[in-house]
Amino acid sequence: MRVLKFGGTSVGSIEAIRKVVEIIKDTEHSGQVQVVVASALAGITDGLIGLARSAQTADHAALDTVQAMQNRYRTIAEAFLAGGDLDQAFFFIAADFEALTRTLDGIAILRELSLRTLDEVMSFGERLSARLLAHILTAQGVPAEYLDTRELIKTDNHHGNAQVLGAKTADTLRSYFQSAPRSLYVATGFIGSAPDGATTTLGRGGSDLSAALFGAALEVEEVEIWTDVDGILTADPRMVKNAFTIDALSYVEAMELSHFGAKVLYPPTVRPALEKGIPITIRNTFNPAGKGTRITRTAPEGPYPIRGISSMAPVVLIRIQGSGMVGVAGFSSRLFGALARRRISVILITQSSSEYSICFATLPEDAAAAEAALHEEFEREIASDALDAPVTEPDLAIIAVVGSRMKRTSGICGKVFHALGRNGVNVVAIAQGSSECNISAVIARSDQAKALNAVHEAFFLAGVRSVNLFLVGIGLIGGTLLEQLAEQKAVLAGEHQIRINLVGAANSRNMIFNPEGLDPQKVQSRLQRSGEGVVPFALPGFIERMKDLNLPNTAFCDCTASDEVAAQYEALLRSAIPIVTPNKRANSGPYAYYKKLITLSKDRGIPYLYEVTVCAGLPVISTLRDLFLSGDKVRRIEAVLSGTLSFIFNNYDGSKSFSALVREAKAKGYTEPDPRDDLNAKDAARKALILARECGMPLEFTDVTIEPILPAACFAAQGLEAFFAELEKVDLVFEKQRAEAAARGEALRYVAIIEAGSARLTLRSEPAASPFRSLVDSDNIVVITTDRYSRLSIVIKGPGAGAPVTAGGVFADILRIARTLV
């Protein structure tokens, strides 16, 4: 035989009750159910509490709510009953609401609402739903008797959250059913009675406990808890979208998960079933074919090292510390005894090994009473400075990682705290029981969802690495990056288990966000028009929105050339947000800011990736970093760092004038709209400065010597045509330099040289054997000479500009962040 419990959503509508009837009548349950425990209809308990509080303030509008509530029961009755059955239902519904109204009138007259009276008011929800369900089942061909459990479930007199008197309740239940006729009983959940006969309630979720008490007393084969989800999930699906059903749990695992917030199961429910070894199954009323979650004494091991993650918020952490507790026997007994006398429930406890401090978590509504209890208990110790006054930390959350396998699996703790730390989640307190079935961490409430997702992904999606990407700057580079993200999305997910989820994007005018992900193919077009979630761009607003979303594995990508965006890097790293950027402004700005960013990234373990700031997608910075880490010392770097200047001098063979080549470079898109922005060599100088800093040289931009390529008159010219006119005047000067070099078998190249703590850029002639003579079109080249590579230098050569290779380098850095998520 079985006991079935149906929650509020399972009896909350006509369609839901129809499902309940079908379940009780199906081949699995027909003739196998001894007791059905019914909760109040969804929303009724909260409604009744609201009515009671309105009555206390003499709010006459509450009468309308009473009538609406009564009409809801009548509507359900009319959907299933007819004739005399319907008349009977209308009669008891009216009688119960008349009794409820009298109780509310009494509250209004006295202007007082005691917990005892509130229990009486709340009990009407279960009494009405159970009686109505019994009538409906009988009318549907399943004879059922209504059972008011206040006569059977005995509790103490702690109204609002009464404790069941286990032995007495078990005896009462067994005695009742030994003499009662064999039938299907529809019993009220949630309620019992105190020794004086007053109605009590068992706390939110108490109907689960009612079902377990029936199951244990009757020693049934199974207790089934029917709800609106497919069982106990690996995490709260409201916060973790990819949470999934746990097939099996042990009693201990179920108690741990439910204690720390898994709302599908009321924590005390497990104990009566555990004592009798009765399985509990959590199933979905709206998906009865699903197997749900089965809870037994020893559950079979699953494929993962943990079972699930639960969380509780808000909680308050209270800490007491001082030398007066070190080595003092009985201190903890006094502390928790003081709390117990005030009936304050402690959720979590942790104590330092030095015995200098102890802290515990409690619910916010108990925090003031708990603090007062400690002040009262330790008044003398606090007055003599043997103890500090209790410290309260509010607005916190607890996440609990649960699973019996963790006792036999090394590295679980490390994986939990690595996932939290990588995402910038600060841990306030930690607790782990000796059973090693639960690791609990107290964190800021604002980090609850991010922490759950980070830890869930670390354990249940261990092979899948995801990045929640926020992109600012959708020009040529950013737009090309979006195209590459769209093209590679399926390959990354299918073959490499990497998911790049574009959450936010902005151009210079607009921005858009979607935590579920934006389509990279549509972002540019969407940002061109207003509406559909598109709002005007403001950098502070973009960053604030990114932080407020607080998603795990967030990364910020800056594809602008903006000083304003670069100025935000420090704050982003301090918020544990990795940065990927081709923007040179931060690393070529003040040395102190560059050094601060590098130090923050290193000390906090937050990636700051800027490979493409020099030579686009060529692996120059990563090579320098690897050389440094492996103990090599860079002695000299020679490089062509400007794609524009590379194109011009690679093709300057005398067949065209210098000015003509500059015009050609502009026409092919190799230069900025004004070629002087390239010919002033400042961009190449910034790249040289970045390389020098990567080699450990504390240089400022003003320390980089730039040999001018053009005379001052070219830069002073007003407008492009005037500039080209001035440039044509020096064609013969350039031709003379070129011809003299060619006579020696050499060619002109504009080269950056970094050595001996200095950096300079100069125009020089290169012999035929020089690696700089092998350049084609706009290629870049970097020649690195080190202690180990002194006879034959390292040569890195290839395209150093262009949207595809630059965006590809940015994409590669984003993937590097994904690959660190292990």
Side-chain angles (χ1 to χ4, degrees):
M1 299 298 287
R2 304 183 191 186
V3 171
L4 275 57
K5 175 262 176 175
F6 291 95
T9 53
S10 298
V11 294
S13 67
I14 293 169
E15 184 55 39
I17 292 175
R18 190 168 284 119
K19 289 281 187 184
V20 170
V21 174
E22 290 172 0
I23 289 167
I24 294 171
K25 292 174 69 175
D26 67 22
T27 54
E28 180 184 355
H29 297 96
S30 180
Q32 299 298 312
V33 180
Q34 192 166 359
V35 178
V36 170
V37 175
S39 295
L41 308 188
I44 289 293
T45 301
D46 287 336
L48 289 167
I49 294 171
L51 283 172
R53 289 176 177 162
S54 295
Q56 186 183 15
T57 59
D59 181 359
H60 298 292
L63 294 174
D64 295 334
T65 305
V66 172
Q67 188 58 53
M69 200 177 285
Q70 182 172 354
N71 290 341
R72 184 176 173 188
Y73 283 96
R74 288 173 63 92
T75 300
I76 292 173
E78 287 175 327
F80 293 96
L81 305 174
D85 292 334
L86 182 60
D87 291 339
Q88 286 184 2
F90 279 174
F91 176 80
F92 77 73
I93 290 171
D96 278 355
F97 273 97
E98 184 179 342
L100 171 62
T101 301
R102 286 196 300 270
T103 304
L104 294 173
D105 288 343
I107 296 170
I109 292 169
L110 297 173
R111 296 291 182 92
E112 181 181 327
L113 178 60
S114 66
L115 289 176
R116 177 188 176 113
T117 304
L118 184 59
D119 276 354
E120 177 67 24
V121 171
M122 287 192 290
S123 73
F124 281 96
E126 273 68 21
R127 289 153 59 185
L128 280 158
S129 64
R131 183 174 291 178
L132 181 56
L133 181 58
H135 273 67
I136 290 170
L137 286 170
T138 300
Q140 296 292 315
V142 183
E145 297 287 338
Y146 165 64
L147 181 59
D148 187 337
T149 54
R150 289 179 295 177
E151 301 298 321
L152 303 175
I153 295 180
K154 302 301 180 180
T155 73
D156 63 13
N157 60 2
H158 184 56
H159 291 280
N161 190 15
Q163 300 299 303
V164 173
L165 304 177
K168 188 171 184 179
T169 295
D171 289 343
T172 305
L173 286 169
R174 280 193 293 267
S175 175
Y176 177 85
F177 281 96
Q178 283 172 359
S179 59
R182 186 173 181 80
S183 177
L184 169 63
Y185 291 88
V186 181
T188 55
F190 180 58
I191 59 176
S193 62
D196 62 359
T199 299
T200 55
T201 58
L202 308 181
R204 285 302 180 100
S207 292
D208 291 355
L209 176 56
S210 302
L213 291 168
F214 275 105
L218 300 176
E219 298 187 7
V220 297
E221 297 172 3
E222 187 172 7
V223 173
E224 295 180 3
I225 309 292
W226 290 83
T227 181
D228 56 358
V229 293
D230 287 331
I232 297 178
L233 274 64
T234 50
D236 187 338
R238 294 169 299 179
M239 288 185 275
V240 181
K241 300 301 181 186
N242 51 17
F244 56 90
T245 304
I246 304 169
D247 293 332
L249 287 170
S250 69
Y251 292 128
V252 173
E253 290 169 331
M255 283 192 288
E256 293 283 3
L257 285 170
S258 58
H259 174 73
F260 285 103
K263 302 199 185 308
V264 178
L265 185 67
Y266 183 51
T269 302
V270 178
R271 184 176 176 182
L274 183 153
E275 291 173 350
K276 294 289 186 177
I278 297 170
I280 300 173
T281 303
I282 314 296
R283 298 180 69 175
N284 189 345
T285 305
F286 307 99
N287 180 27
K291 294 182 179 179
T293 300
R294 186 172 173 82
I295 303 167
T296 56
R297 192 178 300 280
T298 55
E301 288 191 352
Y304 305 102
I306 67 170
R307 293 287 193 186
I309 310 155
S310 61
S311 65
M312 178 184 293
V315 299
V316 173
L317 196 69
I318 300 176
R319 183 178 72 254
I320 188 165
Q321 64 183 32
S323 58
M325 58 188 290
V326 177
V328 177
F331 182 87
S332 295
S333 175
R334 287 179 61 193
L335 190 159
F336 294 111
L339 298 175
R341 286 191 293 276
R342 297 201 181 200
R343 302 187 71 94
I344 295 169
S345 177
V346 173
I347 302 166
L348 172 147
I349 305 167
T350 183
Q351 183 175 19
S352 66
S353 58
S354 66
E355 299 184 17
Y356 183 77
S357 68
I358 189 167
C359 65
F360 59 91
T362 188
L363 296 174
E365 54 265 32
D366 292 331
E371 191 171 0
L374 297 187
H375 274 285
E376 180 182 314
E377 181 67 28
F378 300 107
E379 181 180 5
R380 284 181 294 179
E381 289 88 342
I382 293 171
S384 65
D385 292 330
L387 290 178
D388 297 340
V391 176
T392 300
E393 294 183 61
D395 210 25
L396 300 174
I398 298 174
I399 65 165
V401 180
V402 175
S404 57
R405 271 184 63 187
M406 65 174 65
K407 186 172 185 177
R408 305 183 301 279
T409 307
S410 62
I412 300 295
C413 272
K415 203 166 189 176
V416 170
F417 295 114
H418 174 70
L420 296 176
R422 186 184 65 232
N423 283 280
V425 177
N426 184 50
V427 176
V428 180
I430 303 167
Q432 182 176 23
S434 58
S435 66
E436 294 187 52
C437 186
N438 174 2
I439 300 168
S440 301
V442 182
I443 60 174
R445 186 184 181 186
S446 58
D447 286 331
Q448 181 184 7
K450 178 163 72 170
L452 283 171
N453 278 277
V455 176
H456 190 271
E457 182 171 307
F459 285 98
F460 296 110
L461 298 172
V464 178
R465 291 155 294 180
S466 63
V467 173
N468 287 307
L469 184 65
F470 293 79
L471 172 64
V472 171
I474 305 182
L476 186 59
I477 305 304
T480 305
L481 174 63
L482 289 174
E483 293 173 3
Q484 294 176 352
L485 286 170
E487 291 170 2
Q488 197 67 5
K489 182 177 181 179
V491 174
L492 287 174
E495 297 181 16
H496 304 285
Q497 292 187 294
I498 293 176
R499 295 188 306 206
I500 308 300
N501 184 40
L502 182 65
V503 177
N507 58 20
S508 59
R509 297 183 304 278
N510 294 316
M511 58 186 181
I512 187 171
F513 300 90
N514 185 349
E516 302 302 318
L518 298 165
D519 185 346
Q521 291 180 305
K522 298 179 180 178
V523 164
Q524 285 184 282
S525 62
R526 290 187 65 182
L527 287 172
Q528 298 304 316
R529 57 184 188 271
S530 60
E532 298 182 26
V534 177
V535 296
F537 173 69
L539 182 61
F542 187 94
I543 291 174
E544 182 181 0
R545 176 67 170 145
M546 176 173 63
K547 290 181 179 179
D548 286 346
L549 285 171
N550 207 18
L551 298 172
N553 306 328
T554 288
F556 178 78
C557 181
D558 172 19
C559 284
T560 73
S562 165
D563 286 314
E564 182 189 9
V565 179
Q568 298 297 320
Y569 290 0
E570 179 184 353
L572 292 173
L573 291 174
R574 290 190 185 279
S575 297
I577 297 174
I579 298 169
V580 173
T581 182
N583 185 350
K584 293 181 282 292
R585 297 293 180 168
N587 286 5
S588 62
Y591 177 77
Y593 187 60
Y594 160 83
K595 190 65 176 177
K596 186 179 289 185
L597 297 180
I598 299 302
T599 302
L600 271 173
S601 173
K602 179 181 177 182
D603 291 350
R604 300 198 177 198
I606 309 300
Y608 172 44
L609 304 179
Y610 46 87
E611 181 72 72
V612 292
T613 56
V614 179
C615 298
L618 298 180
V620 177
I621 289 174
S622 56
T623 299
L624 288 174
R625 191 168 295 141
D626 290 343
L627 289 169
F628 172 78
L629 290 174
S630 65
D632 204 353
K633 186 171 181 61
V634 175
R635 296 299 179 182
R636 180 182 176 91
I637 295 176
E638 297 172 287
V640 171
L641 300 173
S642 167
T644 302
L645 296 175
S646 180
F647 173 83
I648 292 170
F649 287 108
N650 290 343
N651 291 281
Y652 190 35
D653 57 6
S655 61
K656 296 178 182 178
S657 67
F658 188 81
S659 62
L661 275 173
V662 174
R663 285 185 183 274
E664 182 181 342
K666 182 178 184 301
K668 290 184 174 181
Y670 286 130
T671 74
E672 295 294 330
D674 188 336
R676 287 173 290 186
D677 291 339
D678 296 292
L679 293 169
N680 64 15
K682 287 185 178 179
D683 187 64
R686 290 189 185 94
K687 297 174 183 177
L689 177 62
I690 293 171
L691 293 181
R693 288 174 171 178
E694 290 296 304
C695 294
M697 301 179 193
L699 300 180
E700 299 291 353
F701 185 74
T702 53
D703 297 326
V704 180
T705 302
I706 304 174
E707 179 185 314
I709 300 171
L710 305 178
C714 288
F715 294 105
Q718 298 298 311
L720 287 179
E721 288 307 316
F723 158 66
F724 277 111
E726 290 293 335
L727 186 60
E728 288 168 1
K729 294 177 183 180
V730 293
D731 275 342
L732 291 178
V733 176
F734 278 105
E735 175 55 27
K736 181 181 177 183
Q737 286 181 280
R738 187 206 65 77
E740 288 175 352
R744 298 190 300 270
E746 297 176 349
L748 298 177
R749 297 291 185 268
Y750 195 73
V751 181
I753 303 165
I754 302 160
E755 63 179 341
S758 67
R760 67 185 189 278
L761 288 90
T762 184
L763 182 64
R764 71 185 192 186
S765 59
E766 298 288 333
S770 167
F772 296 96
R773 294 289 297 277
S774 65
L775 292 173
V776 177
D777 284 337
S778 62
D779 281 359
N780 283 188
I781 188 170
V782 179
V783 180
I784 305 171
T785 303
T786 73
D787 286 348
R788 295 173 186 162
Y789 296 90
S790 56
R791 187 179 64 83
L792 191 62
S793 300
I794 298 172
V795 178
I796 302 171
K797 183 178 73 171
V805 292
T806 305
V810 174
F811 197 175
D813 274 349
I814 294 170
L815 294 176
R816 285 188 185 93
I817 289 176
R819 289 196 294 271
T820 64
L821 304 177
V822 294

